[in-house]
Amino acid sequence: MHGNEDHGPVRYGPLAPDPGLPVLPELAAVLAAASGRTRPEPPGGGPALREAARGYWERRGLHGTAAGAAAAPGAQPLLLALLGAHGGDVLVPRPCPAAWMPQARLLGRPAYHVPSPAECGGVPDPYALLETVRRVRAEGGRPTLLLLSVADDPTATVAPPELVREACEAAVGEGLHIISDETWRDTVHRSRDAVLISPAEMCPDDVTVLADLSGALTPAAWPAAVARFPDTAPGAARHARALDILTALGALVAGPVAHAAAHALEEPQAVRDRTARAAALHAEVAAAAHRAVLGAGALARPPQAGRHLYADLGPLRSRLAEVGVTDSLELEEYLTDRLGAPAPGGHRFGDELGALRVRLGTGPLLGTTARQRTESLAAAEPLKLPHVARALEGFAAVLGALR
């Protein structure tokens, strides 16, 4: 089957979009207070961290036990453990987070892209999913896993609940287990406009949930991620296998980081306030960046979550060709150089190399110093701050030059 993606070289990166914000002082104090902890957490995290994860999901309607949770130093080793705990082939939507395919390749696991529907990314089109499963099986493959992200990197969309349900029912009907990456669920820009429903609410026995805390709760420099396994016998067996893999990898959360991560997962008022304010800030800046993209004649879905947007510069192809840009790799180099910030091309996320798509982050637009970023976070009207306005003008100018 031509959709098999497991034979190419392993490609790493890019990193998740940078928040561009200083560390929450309360979290920094918690980490500092735990700096004397010299031992790492046990594989999968200690009781306090796992209980904090259980409470975090409980508040989001996902009931379970602390014994059904596991933690690791970042999403990549945790996803590797989750994939390793399952056999068989992997299906992912196109585009998908840049970290997913390398994990499957490292395990030598066949992986297949399934097109996303027109209205959002992060989930596969249900009919395309069924067709892909049947084609893979007809050619001797054994699809067993579907990865999806309801609040998505790279597309910054939130999949409508009805589409999530259709995709999950199609997957479960074909015997697939679902890994739901919910790293970005707490970065939804406007909850009234985009309702996020976890696949684990719809199919509780068939979904493992993954969340990298750097999505909304902790700095990326303090690596911590958590997983929630189904409360079933197969879920317990996969939990045990995942812990075996984390142990073999030495993928243990550092003691001080675990203390801070548990505090963040408990969501005291300061953490809740920061999460909400950061989401509101990135919503405003992303909307302004989206207007600049459309003003330049390019395309992008309105960003609904995260700190990024996914732009299609296909309508500017002829002008781009004049400056030597004919594919997404060249587009990445061109925009990264001119924007002075990472602008990973769509090929990093499984899109075709010839498509002129790129992920654009909003973090670099919040300021170049800690003071400016703090001002952006505190401002009632951040777009009126001189440094934000200048950054957006420069962003728009780079794109406008391609009209």
Side-chain angles (χ1 to χ4, degrees):
M1 175 176 173
H2 298 299
N4 194 320
E5 304 285 347
D6 71 326
H7 297 302
V10 174
R11 289 181 180 174
Y12 296 101
L15 299 176
D18 179 47
L21 296 172
V23 177
L24 177 64
E26 179 175 309
L27 273 186
V30 170
L31 184 79
S35 61
R37 299 179 67 177
T38 58
R39 296 187 62 81
E41 294 281 284
L49 180 53
R50 289 185 285 106
E51 173 57 28
R54 183 208 62 77
Y56 169 87
W57 280 310
E58 182 84 23
R59 291 188 294 277
R60 286 153 180 79
L62 302 180
H63 310 294
T65 66
Q76 284 89 339
L78 188 51
L79 178 58
L80 190 71
L82 296 180
L83 294 175
H86 291 77
D89 304 348
V90 181
L91 279 72
V92 300
R94 169 174 288 168
C96 71
W100 285 3
M101 295 300 286
Q103 307 302 314
R105 290 187 181 123
L106 284 171
L107 292 169
R109 198 68 60 79
Y112 302 87
H113 280 289
V114 182
S116 296
E119 53 263 59
C120 68
V123 299
D125 177 88
Y127 299 102
L129 175 66
L130 292 173
E131 176 61 22
T132 302
V133 168
R134 288 166 188 154
R135 288 172 64 192
V136 171
R137 286 181 176 150
E139 296 189 5
R142 192 165 64 91
T144 61
L145 269 178
L146 169 66
L147 273 61
L148 51 76
S149 53
V150 178
D152 187 44
D153 170 26
T155 65
T157 58
V158 177
E162 61 272 17
L163 257 177
V164 178
R165 180 175 294 280
E166 291 173 9
C168 290
E169 288 178 349
V172 172
E174 291 295 330
L176 304 182
H177 188 77
I178 298 166
I179 296 178
S180 175
D181 186 338
E182 299 182 10
T183 293
W184 301 98
R185 70 170 298 153
D186 295 322
T187 69
V188 173
H189 294 170
R190 296 174 182 85
S191 56
R192 291 171 297 177
D193 300 335
V195 178
L196 189 149
I197 303 294
S198 171
E201 295 181 65
M202 302 175 177
C203 309
D205 292 348
D206 300 291
V207 178
T208 299
V209 179
L210 167 70
D212 190 331
L213 272 58
S214 69
L217 296 175
T218 61
W222 307 354
V226 289
R228 174 190 177 276
F229 291 78
D231 190 14
T232 62
R238 288 170 182 146
H239 181 272
R241 287 201 293 273
L243 294 190
D244 284 343
I245 295 168
L246 292 173
T247 304
L249 292 173
L252 311 177
V253 182
V257 171
H259 194 60
H263 185 82
L265 284 164
E266 289 165 357
E267 296 180 292
Q269 189 64 47
V271 171
R272 292 200 302 273
D273 290 347
R274 164 58 74 89
T275 301
R277 183 65 203 121
L281 171 61
H282 281 287
E284 289 199 48
V285 177
H290 182 248
R291 290 192 291 271
V293 168
L294 299 185
L299 303 172
R301 297 185 185 98
Q304 298 174 298
R307 36 192 184 251
H308 55 286
L309 66 158
Y310 198 55
D312 183 351
L313 275 61
L316 310 178
R317 183 176 294 276
S318 60
R319 173 69 180 123
L320 283 164
E322 292 175 7
V323 295
V325 175
T326 60
D327 61 27
S328 64
L329 178 60
E330 293 168 345
L331 180 63
E332 174 181 311
E333 295 172 350
Y334 178 89
L335 288 178
T336 296
D337 178 61
R338 281 154 183 80
L339 292 172
H347 60 285
R348 305 267 193 174
F349 310 103
D351 259 334
E352 300 86 352
L353 183 64
L356 294 172
R357 300 190 184 107
V358 62
R359 187 187 71 189
L360 302 167
T362 51
L365 302 173
L366 304 183
T368 57
T369 67
R371 180 175 179 177
Q372 287 181 343
R373 295 173 189 132
T374 300
E375 288 176 358
S376 298
L377 188 65
E381 296 181 290
L383 300 187
K384 293 185 177 180
L385 291 173
H387 63 269
V388 174
R390 282 195 303 270
L392 283 165
E393 286 170 8
F395 178 87
V398 169
L399 295 173
L402 297 171
R403 281 192 68 91

